[in-house]
Amino acid sequence: VVDHQRLSGAGYCFSASAPPFTASAAIASLKHMESHPACITRLQENVSYMYEQLGKTDLSHLVVTSDERSPIVVLQLYKESIYE
């Protein structure tokens, strides 16, 4: 069983560290952001635009639960709207 897990499992099977492929992807992402700072600027502009557009929209059945600084926008249904 141990040999199977060692050969078939990712790096997280025997440690609390990130699997090698996840760590490699994170490093590549950080390198890309460092060499292309315009991507971060563009992302921040897109986030601002998204929140601006959400402010203009009737969201009576939705609530935005994410922070405006986050590029991830979480919309949640009001519980009452499910029953209407």
Side-chain angles (χ1 to χ4, degrees), residues 18-76:
F21 53 86
T22 304
S24 295
I27 291 169
S29 297
L30 290 171
K31 286 181 180 179
H32 180 79
M33 288 188 290
E34 286 176 346
S35 62
H36 299 89
C39 289
I40 302 300
T41 304
R42 178 72 190 266
L43 176 62
Q44 291 168 338
E45 290 169 356
N46 289 344
V47 169
S48 295
Y49 178 76
M50 178 69 169
Y51 276 96
E52 180 183 316
Q53 294 304 309
L54 285 171
K56 295 178 182 177
T57 307
D58 175 30
L59 295 177
S60 59
H61 60 286
L62 294 173
V63 61
V64 180
T65 59
S66 52
D67 189 283
E68 290 188 18
R69 296 170 291 182
S70 173
I72 300 170
V73 179
V74 180
L75 299 174
Q76 183 177 356

